[in-house]
Amino acid sequence: MEVIVIAPDNQVVEGPRPGAWQNSNFRLLWVGQSFSWTGTQITQLALPLVAVILLDGSPLQVSLVLAFEFLPALLFGAVAGVWVDRLDRRQVLIFTDIGRFLSLLAIPLLHWTDHLEFAYLYLAVFVTGLLSVAYNAAYQALLPSIVEERDLLDANGKLEMSRSIAQGAGPGFGGVLVQALSAPVAVVTDAATYLVSAAAALRMKTVRGGARPGGGSFRSELAEGVKVILGEPVQWRLALAAAVDNFFAAGVLALYVLYAKRDLDLSALLIGIVLGVGAVGAVGASTLLRRLGRRVRPKQAIIAGALARGVGYALVPLADGATALIVLLLCAGQILAQGGMVVLVSSATTWRQLITPNHLMGRVVAASMTVLFGAIPFGAAFSGVLADVAGTRLALAVGAAGTLCSALVMIGTRNPAPPAA
């Protein structure tokens, strides 16, 4: 198997390599990520159903569940990056996984004791999102330290494929759990996956690129990461494109379950199956990326992924008629959307890792997350308000159209520069 290598003269060359799978630390990271992502996707279905079924929430109240999950990225993303660069990144993974287990477990416990309200639901989701900010920054910063540079695209592709498959399999499994047991039980299952992720991180061997003592004040280190984003055209374009995509995609995701349940009258099981079909697109895109990676430059891959994602989302508000036709359109949309996501995210993540010095990786990743994840709560809230005023179907159509615009941001961007020293 061969992959792209960015040579010092900025030429693309090919060469044999053992591959990311033969790296034991990467395998453990992949196992932990796969379990936690699957659990997270279970609650992407279960938590909105908790809000819809148990709390009888309005479209805005349901949308705010997603908004509160990603609000910490906007408020604390850049700050978390400084700590990630100062602390042992493997230990950050362990402690944030344990914290997410405890915060999610509070939701079913509150329900079973008849104390669950929207305020408590939002608080638990907010704490989980805050810990996820640190976790995501830590694992992306850790990855270049445990795999060779030439294996980064392969490793990111496998991680993104796993995440995208989880986006399909997780809701499918969640639909079964909700239908057969209950939404709170599905949340407990998600919480348990974080313990598996923590156990995998515990087994990882010591790796380079761990804790680095602060070389200056907290403020100066924070500013250093922000300057990298603002000073490098590729960095800020990647962040801006992701922010545009996330703003509008958040509207689709925030309303998807509500729309499928109330407007299309689909059961929790059918909703889970529809979301599960997206795994087909994820696997197909990962295979295509591996085969065409030697010929397709990152900018073109990102644009193609954004377009596929937007077209997939555009099929959602078009779903109408007989149940079979509705399911067919939604399934096709999921395949396109998840396939596009694999290509987009794995290419953008690899590009950022190649041009960012390792000692700044946590801050740069977290500062980027502040922009791209910070757009999600605004997008979710915007779609909730729009759905209340103009209807859910129109809000979904606006979200789909908006995701297509993210491709425009990358036009004119140069393809990868050599890795920073």
Side-chain angles (χ1 to χ4, degrees), residues 200-224:
L202 273 169
R203 294 191 60 190
M204 292 177 65
K205 298 176 182 178
T206 302
V207 294
R208 58 187 170 88
R212 299 177 63 94
S217 68
F218 194 94
R219 181 178 296 180
S220 65
E221 291 187 40
L222 178 63
E224 192 175 6

Side-chain angles (χ1 to χ4, degrees), residues 280-337:
V280 176
V283 175
S286 179
T287 303
L288 185 65
L289 184 66
R290 185 173 65 249
R291 292 181 177 179
L292 299 182
R294 296 187 294 271
R295 297 188 293 274
V296 178
R297 305 292 285 180
K299 183 182 77 172
Q300 285 72 28
I302 291 171
I303 292 174
L307 292 176
R309 182 162 152 87
V311 171
Y313 281 149
L315 295 179
V316 177
L318 295 178
D320 200 4
T323 300
L325 178 60
I326 290 173
V327 171
L328 180 63
L329 284 173
L330 293 181
C331 286
Q334 280 297 305
I335 291 173
L336 283 172

Side-chain angles (χ1 to χ4, degrees), residues 74-299:
L74 177 64
L75 300 178
F76 305 110
V79 174
V82 178
W83 287 112
V84 166
D85 281 338
R86 288 185 171 191
L87 301 174
D88 184 307
R89 291 162 181 170
R90 186 180 69 95
Q91 292 182 5
V92 172
L93 300 184
I94 296 168
F95 288 114
T96 53
D97 272 332
I98 293 173
R100 290 190 290 181
F101 163 74
L102 295 173
S103 61
L104 275 182
L105 190 62
I107 296 174
L109 291 178
L110 286 168
H111 167 66
W112 291 326
T113 57
D114 294 324
H115 290 94
L116 184 61
E117 300 175 0
F118 268 108
Y120 295 134
L121 178 63
Y122 293 152
L123 178 60
V125 169
F126 182 88
V127 172
T128 303
L130 178 60
L131 295 169
S132 294
V133 170
Y135 181 93
N136 289 329
Y139 102 78
Q140 290 189 44
L142 183 64
L143 186 62
S145 300
I146 63 177
V147 301
E148 297 295 330
E149 182 180 288
R150 62 167 51 195
D151 288 328
L152 271 178
L153 181 61
D154 182 38
N156 279 310
K158 286 177 168 58
L159 286 169
E160 185 57 29
M161 179 185 69
S162 177
R163 188 187 69 81
S164 194
I165 290 175
Q167 282 189 319
F173 184 42
V176 174
L177 286 175
V178 172
Q179 192 85 1
L181 300 173
S182 65
V185 172
V187 176
V188 172
T189 304
D190 178 20
T193 63
Y194 290 125
L195 290 183
V196 177
S197 180
L202 273 169
R203 294 191 60 190
M204 292 177 65
K205 298 176 182 178
T206 302
V207 294
R208 58 187 170 88
R212 299 177 63 94
S217 68
F218 194 94
R219 181 178 296 180
S220 65
E221 291 187 40
L222 178 63
E224 192 175 6
V226 175
K227 286 179 181 178
V228 172
I229 299 292
L230 298 179
E232 170 58 53
V234 172
Q235 294 275 16
W236 68 255
R237 281 180 181 268
L238 287 172
L240 180 60
V244 172
D245 176 84
N246 281 351
F247 179 89
F248 290 102
V252 178
L253 295 175
L255 296 172
Y256 200 103
V257 172
L258 177 73
Y259 171 71
K261 183 69 177 175
R262 289 186 178 172
D263 293 50
L264 302 181
D265 197 28
L266 299 182
S267 67
L269 181 60
L270 267 182
I271 296 171
I273 291 173
V274 166
L275 294 174
V277 171
V280 176
V283 175
S286 179
T287 303
L288 185 65
L289 184 66
R290 185 173 65 249
R291 292 181 177 179
L292 299 182
R294 296 187 294 271
R295 297 188 293 274
V296 178
R297 305 292 285 180
K299 183 182 77 172

